[in-house]
Amino acid sequence: MKQTIGGITLLVRDYDEALAYYCEKLGFDLLEDTALDDGKRWVLVVPPGSTGSPLLLAQAATPEQQASIGNQAGGRVFLFLHTDDFWSAYRRMEAQGVQFLEEPRHEPYGWVVVFADCYGNKWDLLGPAAAEKK
């Protein structure tokens, strides 16, 4: 038996606001944006070149969901964005105004830097250990 995670739901305040951030600032690709009943949409995005699970951008519909926007992991790093070119990705994101919460650092597993998305969710940008600092 083979199984995979088909997607990860990310609560957002507004579909278009989230699309602008993820596609323009982070450079993600829009896979699907389909209108559903009651004003909902099925919005899937992925990092460029990704073969992994997409993010489902889900507009919060209840007060409980709205309270979780930006804090889906209780203040911990929630998502991990892997790249094969850490420094190019970092510079591109920095030029786009992405909010980094620290300076890049080298760890045994590679280069890493924590950033916050437009809602405050924490992400790790991770590059391979072999990447040289430039």
Side-chain angles (χ1 to χ4, degrees):
M1 175 188 311
K2 180 179 179 183
Q3 297 179 334
T4 61
I5 294 176
I8 298 167
T9 299
L10 183 68
L11 289 170
V12 301
R13 189 173 33 240
D14 177 83
Y15 292 116
D16 294 325
E17 173 187 60
L19 277 171
Y21 181 83
Y22 284 98
C23 293
E24 294 171 21
K25 290 201 180 271
L26 296 187
F28 282 24
D29 296 326
L30 175 62
L31 288 183
E32 185 174 352
D33 186 352
T34 302
L36 304 172
D37 293 336
D38 300 325
K40 293 182 180 179
R41 290 159 55 184
W42 186 258
V43 180
L44 298 173
V45 296
V46 295
S50 177
T51 58
S53 299
L55 285 179
L56 171 65
L57 303 178
Q59 187 168 296
T62 67
E64 294 81 14
Q65 291 173 3
Q66 291 168 352
S68 294
I69 294 171
N71 193 31
Q72 290 190 201
R76 293 191 60 134
V77 170
F78 176 50
L79 297 164
F80 301 84
L81 181 57
H82 288 231
T83 179
D84 61 358
D85 188 342
F86 178 85
W87 292 103
S88 291
Y90 173 75
R91 285 199 243 3
R92 183 195 169 289
M93 291 167 65
E94 188 176 43
Q96 289 294 321
V98 171
Q99 178 190 8
F100 288 97
L101 303 178
E102 63 181 13
E103 293 297 315
R105 65 185 191 282
H106 192 268
E107 298 289 346
Y109 50 83
W111 285 96
V112 63
V113 64
V114 177
F115 69 94
D117 68 15
C118 60
Y119 300 108
N121 293 300
K122 292 180 182 174
W123 289 64
D124 270 358
L125 175 65
L126 294 160
E132 294 185 28
K133 185 172 183 176
K134 294 183 181 180

